[in-house]
């Protein structure tokens, strides 16, 4: 986060209330000297021709993976779900709250770890495309092969930053997916 802030002008950072219970995270935010907004379920963040809706977390947590902000939006006829570092427990809560939720594009939780993108979650969402953000040769060996297999089993197209670099959706009216190394 601090490295990104060195190269880009950041107007405001959106966080969960629980993340503000982590003193090391708060210290980094203070060093960035930018606006911070703790979002709540129901908040709407305008973007493109629509908005991102905050779906989760419902309660102030402890700043752990399952306290990640989850955002949903529809843009130019395509639905997106961004799950941060969400793991199975958080996924189960999301499924209970939104039992009819389906998405075209899923940003997979927790870098494609074994504890995220559970079979039940994927069965409900039925994503056509999965985006997995993981560093090349990362020490955790993310994404996990079991998670990749779960996506393959439901015929989801997978894009991975560790193999393909940055992933960019571009276009108006229809999307093109580009990867940039």
């Amino acid at each position: 986060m601090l490295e990104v802030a060195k190269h880009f002008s950041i107007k405001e950072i959106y966080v969960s209330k629980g993340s503000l219970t982590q003193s090391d995270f708060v210290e980094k935010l203070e060093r960035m000297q930018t606006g911070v907004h703790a979002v709540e379920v129901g908040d709407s963040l305008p973007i493109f021709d629509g908005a991102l809706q905050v779906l989760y977390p419902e309660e102030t947590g402890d700043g752990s993976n399952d306290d990640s902000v989850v955002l949903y939006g529809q843009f130019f006829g395509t639905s997106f779900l961004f799950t941060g570092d969400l793991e199975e427990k958080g996924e189960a809560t999301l499924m209970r709250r939104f039992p009819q939720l389906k998405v075209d594009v899923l940003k997979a939780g927790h870098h494609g770890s074994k504890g995220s993108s559970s079979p039940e979650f994927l069965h409900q969402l039925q994503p056509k495309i999965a985006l997995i953000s993981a560093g090349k040769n990362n020490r955790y060996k993310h994404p996990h092969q079991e998670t990749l297999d779960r996506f393959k089993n439901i015929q989801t197209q997978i894009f991975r930053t560790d193999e393909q670099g940055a992933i960019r959706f571009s276009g108006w009216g229809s999307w093109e997916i580009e990867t940039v190394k």
Side-chain angles (χ1 to χ4, degrees):
M1 178 173 73
L2 293 174
E3 192 61 32
V4 170
K6 290 178 188 176
H7 303 281
F8 295 94
S9 175
I10 300 171
K11 193 174 187 179
E12 190 165 33
I13 297 175
Y14 296 93
V15 299
S16 68
K17 288 182 178 182
S19 67
L20 297 176
T21 67
Q22 299 293 316
S23 59
D24 59 332
F25 182 67
V26 171
E27 184 266 325
K28 287 177 185 172
L29 290 172
E30 289 169 352
R31 285 181 28 209
M32 291 176 62
Q33 298 181 334
T34 190
V36 176
H37 178 76
V39 298
E40 296 182 20
V41 167
D43 284 354
S44 181
L45 313 173
I47 183 172
F48 301 126
D49 67 335
L52 288 169
Q53 303 299 319
V54 178
L55 302 184
Y56 182 92
E58 294 179 272
E59 302 171 1
T60 301
D62 61 2
S64 66
N65 290 341
D66 274 329
D67 200 30
S68 292
V69 173
V70 175
L71 303 170
Y72 172 83
Q74 287 197 6
F75 309 105
F76 308 111
T78 302
S79 58
F80 292 80
L81 186 67
F82 302 95
T83 59
D85 276 349
L86 201 65
E87 294 181 325
E88 263 188 87
K89 183 180 174 189
E91 292 173 354
T93 300
L94 203 59
M95 286 188 296
R96 281 192 302 277
R97 282 201 70 225
F98 303 98
Q100 304 303 315
L101 183 63
K102 303 272 188 228
V103 299
D104 298 309
V105 180
L106 171 66
K107 188 290 201 174
H110 199 203
H111 315 285
S113 73
K114 187 177 179 179
S116 66
S117 302
S118 69
E120 298 80 12
F121 192 58
L122 297 182
H123 177 75
Q124 178 179 318
L125 296 179
Q126 291 295 306
K128 295 177 183 90
I129 297 171
L131 309 175
I132 300 175
S133 176
K136 189 172 185 167
N137 301 318
N138 65 82
R139 64 182 166 172
Y140 301 105
K141 303 204 183 331
H142 291 152
H144 196 278
Q145 188 60 49
E146 281 185 41
T147 304
L148 295 171
D149 291 342
R150 290 193 285 257
F151 282 116
K152 288 176 187 170
N153 288 340
I154 62 167
Q155 300 175 11
T156 300
Q157 185 178 11
I158 302 167
F159 289 88
R160 301 170 50 172
T161 60
D162 62 323
E163 291 184 346
Q164 296 162 290
I167 302 161
R168 179 174 52 198
F169 283 70
S170 63
W172 300 104
S174 66
W175 293 108
E176 290 184 27
I177 303 172
E178 304 168 341
T179 58
V180 184
K181 279 192 174 183

